[in-house]
Amino acid sequence: MPTTDTTPTADQRAVRITGGRRLAGTVPVQGSKNVALHLYAAAILADEPLALLGAPEILDTGVVAEILHRTGTPATATNGDFRTRPADSYVPAIPDDLGRRVRTTAVMGGALLARAGKVTFPTPGGDAFCVRHIDRHLAAMEAAGAEVEVNRGRVRARFTGKRLPFVTDAETRSWGPSLGATVTAMLLAARTPGTSAILNPSVEPEVTHTAALLSQAGVGIEWCGRTALNVTGTDRIRGGVFTVPPDRLEAATLALAAAITGGTVHLDGFPPAAFPDGLVSVFADAGIQLDPLDGGTAVRAPAGPRPVQMATGPHPGFPTDVQPQLTAFLTQAEGTSRIDERIYTQRDTHLPALAAFGAAVNATGPVITVRGRSALTGADVAGEDIRAVTALVIAALAAEGTSTIRGMYHLRRGYGNLLPKLAALGAHLTTTQE
């Protein structure tokens, strides 16, 4: 079950980092936060006990365990194991105080709708850099035959007739296929008789791993290239054991932390092939080497950071959730870098805090410009979302002097043990109560 410390106001801690230390050593990579959150939603559908091994020990895991518990599905999260049992009955209303803390609220709403025939949930929360649009989620619910009403930040959906196969489109107007809406549609289709079709599905790992879990559980899954995903529903979804894959975003964060300090770090059990192709390409351009080593990856930047011209994009492109950390790294590259943020065009909340370190960074619309090399010095800063805080940690590792970084609640939402891992690799840091 979650700890009691799951709200922003409850976590007043800060981390103090003294920069200039090279990171070196071997470090494990946690289970994927974003994949796990979607697997937790899929667990609502199971008619048998389900164990998700390697679950990340983060605040969001605790929040979702409490959501499942309150809505009827017994769930526990202990030492990296997330375990559920089938509900005896459902309370298909996600509480506002919990649903507004995570970004997958609409996905869990879809799972509860599929299971209970009705659901009420708040619009999702999570990171502060953008509004979480759920229009494609709602379109999937309506395509599946539900009546949907949105009023004052809450969604009500209900099936009133016979469940029939449906067709829905996951494509958005702005940033390509919606990852979350694809999963919502899959979960609805998994318990709908017959074969439903999801057009233009996302192929992000969050989707493919959820599809793999459903397939293992007895749901028919058929990929038709990138144009459609066919899902054949069943009235009994098996449980069993499924392993959460390692977190490509934490792996990339650790790689950038090593590279900005001039160190060499071995990502244990995370091979180079586990990184998206777009990330590997950008890292190579930026001077970061990713070499296979004992089933993992050896990371180093022997010639130091190099400037890049790049863009974020859907998988297998460069992940938007690594953009802030990369921006921090590029402050140490000689020359001008330009990053075109094509997923979340307003994702620039990390820039003012990086500027406080002495970085020459600015945004013009969705394009971030970084002029380096900047001499970073210790700063007192705060981050308002998971990856922004992480970018500030990376900058502090390279800064002269001691920095104080606030926003540990946000860091703990996405990373279970990032700070202890950095300390084990040689970073000089302490966590304090402010």
Side-chain angles (χ1 to χ4, degrees):
M1 298 301 293
T3 64
T4 57
D5 180 12
T6 58
T7 62
T9 55
D11 195 340
Q12 300 299 319
R13 287 176 293 179
V15 60
R16 290 199 174 101
I17 299 175
T18 301
R21 300 220 178 174
R22 291 188 177 186
L23 301 189
T26 297
V27 64
V29 177
Q30 72 176 19
S32 172
K33 165 193 177 286
N34 288 348
V35 172
L37 289 176
H38 292 85
L39 297 180
Y40 300 158
I44 295 171
L45 303 185
D47 294 293
E48 301 171 3
L50 175 65
L52 299 173
L53 307 183
E57 297 182 62
I58 57 176
L59 291 185
D60 278 13
T61 290
V63 171
V64 173
E66 180 66 16
I67 289 173
L68 265 60
H69 179 74
R70 288 204 206 175
T71 56
T73 300
T76 59
T78 308
N79 297 325
D81 286 358
F82 190 95
R83 296 177 181 268
T84 62
R85 301 194 312 275
D88 293 328
S89 61
Y90 292 94
V91 181
I94 297 176
D96 283 10
D97 64 323
L98 298 173
R100 296 195 192 281
R101 293 187 205 164
V102 291
R103 60 185 290 184
T104 52
T105 303
V107 182
M108 288 184 284
L112 283 166
L113 175 62
R115 262 311 220 161
K118 60 181 179 180
V119 68
T120 303
F121 60 92
T123 52
D127 292 328
F129 58 83
C130 71
V131 175
R132 296 289 181 184
H133 296 288
I134 61 170
D135 56 308
R136 300 317 305 162
H137 296 260
L138 304 185
M141 294 176 188
E142 291 176 334
E147 294 181 353
V148 178
E149 175 188 352
V150 183
N151 185 31
R152 296 183 180 181
R154 290 189 64 79
V155 177
R156 298 179 186 275
R158 175 189 294 269
F159 288 121
T160 58
K162 185 178 180 180
R163 301 281 301 275
L164 297 172
F166 61 92
V167 177
T168 189
D169 195 329
E171 187 76 22
T172 69
R173 295 179 180 177
S174 302
W175 58 82
S178 168
L179 180 168
T182 302
V183 177
T184 294
M186 274 200 297
L187 301 185
L188 288 165
R191 296 203 74 95
T192 299
T195 299
S196 300
I198 305 167
L199 307 181
N200 301 305
S202 167
V203 295
E204 297 282 342
E206 290 76 6
V207 174
T208 57
H209 284 284
T210 304
L213 171 64
L214 293 175
S215 178
Q216 176 181 297
V219 177
I221 300 290
E222 179 189 11
W223 290 92
C224 303
R226 294 197 173 198
T227 61
L229 171 60
N230 294 332
V231 181
T232 302
T234 176
D235 60 1
R236 184 165 186 83
I237 293 179
R238 297 191 296 268
V241 178
F242 193 86
T243 300
V244 179
D247 196 320
R248 65 197 188 280
L249 305 176
E250 186 188 54
T253 298
L254 290 165
L256 288 163
I260 202 170
T261 66
T264 301
V265 168
H266 175 220
L267 304 176
D268 190 25
F270 194 96
F275 285 111
D277 291 344
L279 183 145
V280 173
S281 176
V282 171
F283 273 20
D285 291 344
I288 302 173
Q289 293 184 3
L290 303 173
D291 299 315
L293 176 65
D294 297 333
T297 299
V299 182
R300 62 193 185 105
R306 296 196 297 254
V308 298
Q309 314 290 312
M310 55 80 66
T312 62
H315 188 78
F318 191 94
T320 179
D321 281 351
V322 184
Q323 180 261 104
Q325 303 93 301
L326 177 69
T327 301
F329 172 79
L330 292 173
T331 66
Q332 300 306 290
E334 295 282 356
T336 299
S337 297
R338 287 185 175 82
I339 301 171
D340 186 358
E341 177 52 74
R342 296 181 180 175
I343 303 300
Y344 297 118
T345 56
Q346 296 178 321
R347 190 168 207 160
D348 59 8
T349 57
H350 49 298
L351 299 189
L354 288 177
F357 282 98
V361 292
N362 69 278
T364 303
V367 178
I368 294 172
T369 302
V370 185
R371 294 180 176 86
R373 177 179 182 263
S374 297
L376 304 182
T377 56
D380 189 331
V381 292
E384 298 299 328
D385 62 77
I386 296 171
R387 312 305 171 182
V389 175
T390 315
L392 306 184
V393 169
I394 289 174
L397 293 172
E400 181 180 353
T402 300
S403 301
T404 299
I405 301 170
R406 296 176 177 82
M408 292 302 99
Y409 164 79
H410 299 289
L411 189 74
R412 293 173 62 221
R413 281 190 52 232
Y415 300 91
N417 295 288
L418 180 64
L419 297 180
K421 289 176 182 178
L422 293 174
L425 293 172
H428 187 280
L429 58 85
T430 57
T431 302
T432 63
Q433 189 76 26
E434 292 292 296

